Amino acid sequence: RIKLSEINKVMEVLYKDSEKQIGQFVADDFRTAAVFSNYGIDFCCKGDRTLGDVCEKKGIETTEVLDKLNAVLNSKTGQSID
């Protein structure tokens, strides 16, 4: 059984990451650029937008992109994620 406190913690992390700017993800870890490219998200010239805003405008589920980003961030360095 999942505790309410655990659900709240996950929701806090999801909210925090959805408010992070696209460019900051890439600045923190260049491997995230591939995820944004796969979704057609400009992380360079329009990198000052938040993940939540971009996903909303593109009609993409924010949690889907966050799952892909977390897969990249949790993978070993040099390991490719498609």
Side-chain angles (χ1 to χ4, degrees), residues 35-62:
V35 174
F36 296 122
S37 291
N38 288 338
Y39 284 97
I41 297 172
D42 183 352
F43 56 86
C44 184
C45 297
K46 295 184 179 180
D48 61 340
R49 301 169 300 160
T50 66
L51 179 61
D53 288 343
V54 172
C55 289
E56 183 179 332
K57 288 178 183 167
K58 287 192 157 284
I60 304 168
E61 288 292 327
T62 305

Side-chain angles (χ1 to χ4, degrees), residues 1-53:
R1 195 167 195 190
I2 299 173
K3 295 180 182 179
L4 183 58
S5 62
E6 292 172 356
I7 292 171
N8 287 336
K9 187 175 181 178
V10 168
M11 294 304 291
E12 284 179 35
V13 170
L14 288 175
Y15 177 77
K16 179 183 159 205
D17 283 348
S18 71
E19 292 301 306
K20 189 173 182 177
Q21 292 183 338
I22 301 293
Q24 192 60 51
F25 279 100
V26 179
D28 291 346
D29 191 321
F30 72 93
R31 299 174 301 156
T32 60
V35 174
F36 296 122
S37 291
N38 288 338
Y39 284 97
I41 297 172
D42 183 352
F43 56 86
C44 184
C45 297
K46 295 184 179 180
D48 61 340
R49 301 169 300 160
T50 66
L51 179 61
D53 288 343

Side-chain angles (χ1 to χ4, degrees), residues 54-77:
V54 172
C55 289
E56 183 179 332
K57 288 178 183 167
K58 287 192 157 284
I60 304 168
E61 288 292 327
T62 305
T63 54
E64 179 182 332
V65 179
L66 284 170
D67 286 345
K68 298 285 186 181
L69 290 169
N70 283 325
V72 168
L73 294 171
N74 292 322
S75 68
K76 295 180 182 176
T77 304

